[in-house]
Amino acid sequence: MTFEQIKSRAVSQWKSLYHGEVPNILIGTATCGRAAGALAVVEAFREELRRQNAEANITQVGCMGLCYAEPLVVIIKPDSFRVCYGKVTPEVVSRLVEGYILGDDPCLELALGAVEGGDGEAVYIPELLRFERERRLLLRHCGYVNPEDINHYIASGGYAGLVKALRMPQGEVIEEVKRSGLRGRGGAGFPTGEKWQVCRNALVEPKYVICNADEGDPGAFMDRVILESDPHEVLEGMLIGGYALGASQGYIYIRAEYPLAIERLGIALKQAEELGFLGDNILGSGFNFHIRLALGAGAFVSGEETALMQAIEGKRSVPRPRPPYPAEAGLWDKPTVINNVKTLAYIPLIINCGADWFSAMGTERSKGTAVFALAGKLVNTGLAEVPMGTTLRELIFDIGGGVPEGKALKAVQIGGPSGGCLPESLLDTPVDFDSLIEVGVMMGSGGMIVMDEDNCMVDTARFFLDFIQKESCGKCTLCRLGTKQMLDILEGIAAGKGRIEDIDLLFELAEDIKMGSLCNLGKTAPNPVLTTIRYFRDEYEAHIREKRCPALVCKELTAYYILPEKCDRACEHCILACSPKAITSNEKGIKVIDQSKCTKCGTCLEMCPSEYSAVIKLSPISLLPPSEASSPKEAGG
Amino acid sequence: MEVAEGLTRILRAQGDGRGDLIAILQEVQAEFGYLPKEAMLGVAKFLQIPESLVYSVATFYNQFRITPLGRRPIKVCMGTACHLSGGELVLEAVQRELDVDLGGLTSDGEFSLDRVACIGCCAIAPAMVIGDAVYPKMTPWKVVEVLTTIKSEIQEANKGD
């Protein structure tokens, strides 16, 4: 079959499903949707359609990035608005079927808004302010097409970039990528076209293309969502790369922690092969390309490119010095291009719409869009795709909806363990590779975590260092032992045993670790500590000088206390919930915490009815009344 | 022997290159829930590589375990978002509720407990996984509720036997 025949078949299938006589119910069943109960909603729709004798198709789709509103449902009806519903539970399904599938009532009380776009255009919901700020390229179909049906991708314009590339000389494909200004989205921001050129110039054969889907940053989930929602855009990018470089074998290195993404990639590969987009003599062009999945076994350092290749070779993923760069000598010492999921997913668009179209978006040195995973203390957690140069403030407030419960934003963490924490005063920093490095953090792969007044900066720095220290592969002494020393110092500070000169010692160790580490895991490991000291030094000093944790997080410096004047005599919620049985009722019926038994789990605070709100946290511990302060238990590490 | 049989079946379907080691170990773990010593020795023989090499790879990666998994493996997410919203308290609550150490197994073999770096569900933090089910927005008290329910289900099922 020619591409034109494949496409016209896909389009007619698409039209009958998305523009047919029968309503089409889209249900987001990516991992976040499933965790929120989407599969039960699918079941409820099947049941309810049967019960009410209603006819409709159910299409399982990926994630639209509105994770806070999962499970998400879109109902498409002929000649009516396409309506998107949020936080759908099995209980409201019968109402939706009766109201909008059978009747004409769009159930607006359950709706987020009307869905616009689709059919190859980016999908958006005009009622939501976030879509005014966003510019969706990679996410354009996510949550609207069925990721397990290649025809949906083709009908939405997919694989046209590959077809176009196959008619171009290979050098011209690379020129186009170079002219687009695309920089690698894995974090470092190296120009993609230049990397490709070096690999193409290498005289050794065979060559390899690797897709780095080892999204290891705790707090980042963009790549997972893309692979679960629109896997073919990544495959198409790899195919174009393979063609331009003269490679015939590709690998996708993906974390084993992403079972659904692996499953959907497997389906995508099989379908692409069946239609002749993968395999030998692709679309009659004489170009051969095969893709294998390599499952990561869980090591953060595997995301480093030289380490990743070791893992594919079946070894411990330990980085090696560069040069030689992978583009010259990579997998099995052959020229290899390693690109992040998102980098590859931009390629079909760049070839299809042209380098000028792409480079018209973004800032002077960072072109195109950036995809962020918004998490932490935000009203609207989820994914967002914005033009480079958008400010952090727009991302957090216009798209993320700000901090919940009216609390104050304290910091935003960008770039995972290699990045750092920025204070409120720097929220007008534009998001692009260079501006972020100027303020001491880095783009990383795109995780962004918002912290409020309840988060402690010392604890945050300790968390990242603990992570890095566990994940250090052990090759470089300063990364292996230096991070351990830094961690010990931070744990001391968090436990109220810090000395003021520890802060200088942390700076000193940080410099040494940067100098003495081979790969970026070590070189960037001190960033979370350095940025928190730089912007939140007062918190470190409060821990050291006053034994006080201002955010009431560090356990050794915090105690729970029940206010006698607020405690209700008849209520025993806290006593029943306290598993170490640290709470007793005194002769007046007022509850008292035995500090020596308290594990500081916070359940009493959680369970105390809001009309009393009698449980509070105190820091420093010396604020406890003398009667209770006897022997506060040291919570173990 | 059960391990030997399973291993033979797995190895039949696998390549025997040095590069296949991790994929083979993943299959072995999928079959047994962990990497039995006997199986690791068998893999070394199959790939004609030193036993120490198999062991070094098996202990390098977080995914592999060399002790058995519970029938209901529990993973508590310790990613950034989960940490900031109380992941540590959730982990401690599981340890307390089941009297199990991190990386350990309950005495009845029902639950094993591990921490994971991030399951990519940051929008519903803190998250906990039991078997295949993801539990969103956990608190120490919700841990008690969830585990109590599961424990009584187990008891019910055992009564039926």
Side-chain angles (χ1 to χ4, degrees):
Chain A
M1 258 197 297
T2 64
F3 179 67
E4 283 65 32
Q5 288 166 323
I6 294 171
K7 173 139 189 173
S8 84
R9 204 186 53 177
V11 168
S12 70
Q13 187 203 318
W14 170 269
K15 280 193 173 148
S16 71
L17 189 59
Y18 282 74
H19 299 278
E21 292 301 307
V22 177
N24 188 15
I25 304 167
L26 311 182
I27 305 175
T29 55
T31 301
C32 37
R34 288 180 185 207
L39 293 177
V41 172
V42 172
E43 217 26 67
F45 265 107
R46 284 200 185 118
E47 182 74 38
E48 211 42 54
L49 290 171
R50 201 160 38 229
R51 199 181 64 84
Q52 301 194 28
N53 215 1
E55 199 186 345
N57 293 306
I58 293 177
T59 307
Q60 295 195 28
V61 295
C63 168
M64 216 186 267
L66 313 176
C67 303
Y68 67 97
E70 296 282 1
L72 215 63
V73 170
V74 176
I75 296 183
I76 300 174
K77 260 182 78 160
D79 306 320
S80 301
F81 288 110
R82 291 170 283 172
V83 184
C84 178
Y85 303 93
K87 297 190 180 168
V88 176
T89 57
E91 288 72 36
V92 303
V93 166
S94 73
R95 160 107 179 90
L96 288 174
V97 170
E98 197 188 326
Y100 203 44
I101 301 287
L102 291 172
D104 289 321
D105 168 14
C107 306
L108 289 179
E109 74 282 7
L110 300 169
L112 287 176
V115 176
E116 306 273 337
D119 302 311
E121 303 291 319
V123 173
Y124 68 104
I125 300 175
E127 281 86 349
L128 302 181
L129 169 68
R130 59 181 295 150
F131 284 95
E132 274 177 41
R133 292 277 177 271
E134 286 197 60
R135 176 77 197 263
R136 293 190 166 203
L137 305 182
L138 302 186
L139 302 182
R140 65 196 183 282
H141 306 140
C142 290
Y144 196 71
V145 301
N146 179 352
E148 298 188 7
D149 189 340
I150 190 172
N151 287 316
H152 287 206
Y153 181 68
I154 296 170
S156 310
Y159 286 109
L162 172 67
V163 172
K164 189 171 170 189
L166 290 176
R167 293 183 186 137
M168 291 162 71
Q170 293 160 300
E172 212 170 284
V173 175
I174 294 185
E175 269 320 303
E176 198 70 12
V177 175
K178 273 195 204 164
R179 281 204 312 120
S180 75
L182 176 66
R183 293 170 69 176
R185 295 301 198 260
F190 191 82
T192 307
E194 281 178 37
K195 198 190 255 189
W196 285 22
Q197 187 70 60
V198 173
C199 184
R200 179 160 161 73
N201 292 349
L203 298 173
V204 184
E205 300 277 341
K207 293 172 181 171
Y208 297 105
V209 178
I210 299 175
C211 170
N212 185 347
D214 190 54
E215 189 174 46
D217 279 14
F221 53 95
M222 306 76 50
D223 296 355
R224 171 179 68 70
V225 169
I226 289 170
L227 292 169
E228 286 178 357
S229 306
D230 208 4
H232 286 284
E233 58 183 4
V234 182
L235 302 190
E236 190 183 353
M238 285 184 81
L239 278 156
I240 295 172
Y243 170 73
L245 301 169
S248 55
Q249 180 68 52
Y251 288 89
I252 302 176
Y253 187 81
I254 179 166
R255 311 174 70 200
E257 289 93 331
Y258 286 175
L260 185 62
I262 293 167
E263 185 189 324
R264 288 187 168 166
L265 266 176
I267 294 169
L269 287 173
K270 188 157 164 283
Q271 293 181 344
E273 213 159 302
E274 281 164 7
L275 289 184
F277 295 118
L278 254 183
D280 292 332
N281 191 20
I282 290 166
L283 298 172
S285 65
F287 165 54
N288 305 330
F289 197 73
H290 300 264
I291 297 178
R292 279 181 64 179
L293 292 184
L295 304 195
F300 179 63
V301 69
S302 298
E304 200 279 340
E305 56 181 18
T306 61
L308 185 149
M309 294 181 307
Q310 299 285 309
I312 293 183
E313 292 178 16
K315 302 174 187 159
R316 293 160 72 104
S317 54
V318 175
R320 61 154 178 79
R322 297 176 301 181
Y325 285 89
E328 299 162 312
L331 190 61
W332 290 295
D333 284 330
K334 306 294 184 206
T336 306
V337 157
I338 299 192
N339 284 135
N340 169 266
V341 168
K342 296 177 289 297
T343 313
L344 289 165
Y346 282 115
I347 299 292
L349 289 169
I350 289 171
I351 297 302
N352 221 352
C353 308
D356 295 330
W357 167 83
F358 186 80
S359 62
M361 283 172 276
T363 64
E364 204 192 328
R365 298 198 53 227
S366 302
K367 300 298 185 190
T369 59
V371 184
F372 281 99
L374 305 177
K377 306 294 178 62
L378 268 185
V379 175
N380 303 333
T381 49
L383 283 200
E385 183 171 5
V386 293
M388 289 276 190
T390 302
T391 65
L392 292 169
R393 194 179 298 282
E394 288 170 309
L395 260 169
I396 293 169
F397 289 93
D398 295 349
I399 294 173
V403 182
E405 298 170 29
K407 292 201 169 149
L409 180 142
K410 181 187 275 185
V412 52
Q413 210 283 340
I414 304 168
S418 313
C421 294
L422 297 179
E424 213 273 340
S425 58
L426 286 175
L427 287 190
D428 292 311
T429 307
V431 168
D432 64 64
F433 290 105
D434 310 303
S435 305
L436 289 177
I437 287 178
E438 256 169 53
V439 291
V441 300
M442 63 186 269
M443 185 86 116
S445 59
M448 178 178 293
I449 291 167
V450 173
M451 300 177 208
D452 68 8
E453 53 199 78
D454 295 338
N455 294 123
C456 168
M457 292 296 120
V458 176
D459 176 67
T460 303
R462 187 187 61 82
F463 166 76
F464 281 113
L465 214 55
D466 179 56
F467 177 82
I468 284 294
Q469 197 266 320
K470 284 195 174 80
E471 293 292 339
S472 170
C473 77
K475 178 167 179 158
C476 305
T477 316
L478 279 156
C479 176
R480 183 179 72 239
L481 299 176
T483 54
K484 172 72 179 140
Q485 294 304 321
M486 282 182 91
L487 181 62
D488 284 349
I489 294 172
L490 279 174
E491 283 181 341
I493 295 175
K497 293 172 189 145
R499 303 164 306 161
I500 201 71
E501 55 271 31
D502 283 345
I503 296 182
D504 289 333
L505 193 54
L506 285 172
F507 274 118
E508 209 176 298
L509 275 165
E511 284 310 312
D512 294 343
I513 293 169
K514 279 186 181 178
M515 296 277 292
S517 300
L518 193 57
C519 82
N520 273 333
L521 184 143
K523 281 187 193 306
T524 59
N527 281 353
V529 181
L530 293 178
T531 51
T532 46
I533 297 179
R534 181 164 159 194
Y535 298 119
F536 303 94
R537 198 183 180 106
D538 54 329
E539 288 201 28
Y540 280 83
E541 291 179 355
H543 282 75
I544 295 170
R545 293 191 203 274
E546 302 166 43
K547 314 279 177 234
R548 177 174 67 91
C549 175
L552 304 173
V553 170
C554 294
K555 276 188 170 178
E556 284 86 343
L557 304 182
T558 314
Y560 286 83
Y561 177 63
I562 299 174
L563 295 166
E565 66 275 18
K566 286 197 168 185
C567 181
D568 184 86
R569 292 158 54 152
C571 166
E572 294 204 326
H573 279 77
C574 58
I575 295 186
L576 295 173
C578 179
S579 42
K581 312 238 173 296
I583 306 179
T584 48
S585 188
N586 69 13
E587 66 281 5
K588 292 182 197 143
I590 301 300
K591 267 59 76 185
V592 181
I593 299 175
D594 180 346
Q595 298 291 340
S596 66
K597 286 188 184 166
C598 176
T599 59
K600 302 180 184 177
C601 69
T603 303
C604 50
L605 184 70
E606 185 191 341
M607 298 309 286
C608 184
S610 57
E611 62 263 40
Y612 308 133
S613 299
V615 184
I616 59 164
K617 284 165 99 175
L618 295 172
S619 180
I621 291 180
S622 57
L623 290 179
L624 279 174
S627 58
E628 280 199 39
S630 51
S631 59
K633 184 183 171 184
E634 298 254 325
Chain B
M1 282 292 286
E2 219 180 296
V3 171
E5 262 171 46
L7 187 65
T8 315
R9 197 174 61 247
I10 290 165
L11 294 181
R12 213 178 290 138
Q14 292 290 335
D16 60 358
R18 172 73 180 75
D20 297 303
L21 175 58
I22 293 176
I24 292 175
L25 292 180
Q26 284 170 328
E27 287 297 320
V28 171
Q29 178 147 312
E31 173 80 18
F32 302 108
Y34 74 112
L35 301 177
K37 185 177 170 190
E38 194 186 338
M40 286 194 278
L41 295 175
V43 171
K45 206 165 161 196
F46 176 73
L47 293 178
Q48 296 179 312
I49 53 175
E51 292 158 3
S52 61
L53 206 61
V54 176
Y55 188 74
S56 88
V57 169
T59 50
F60 183 84
Y61 292 98
N62 299 325
Q63 186 194 5
F64 296 125
R65 36 186 307 140
I66 48 180
T67 49
L69 205 62
R71 280 185 287 279
R72 295 159 203 264
I74 302 180
K75 287 182 278 188
V76 179
C77 184
M78 286 289 149
T80 316
C82 290
H83 173 79
L84 291 176
S85 42
E88 205 123 339
L89 298 178
V90 172
L91 181 68
E92 285 169 11
V94 177
Q95 287 179 300
R96 212 168 33 236
E97 216 32 50
L98 295 176
D99 191 21
V100 61
D101 291 329
L102 196 56
L105 186 68
T106 51
S107 51
D108 56 2
E110 204 64 58
F111 299 97
S112 54
L113 175 63
D114 289 285
R115 52 181 284 165
V116 284
C118 184
I119 54 167
C121 289
C122 314
I124 50 162
M128 173 173 89
V129 186
I130 304 183
D132 294 326
V134 181
Y135 293 84
K137 302 201 172 178
M138 295 308 289
T139 64
W141 179 246
K142 279 198 199 164
V143 167
V144 175
E145 285 180 326
V146 167
L147 291 176
T148 311
T149 312
I150 294 178
K151 278 195 260 183
S152 66
E153 277 168 16
I154 295 171
Q155 244 168 19
E156 275 308 303
N158 288 348
K159 246 186 246 165
D161 287 345

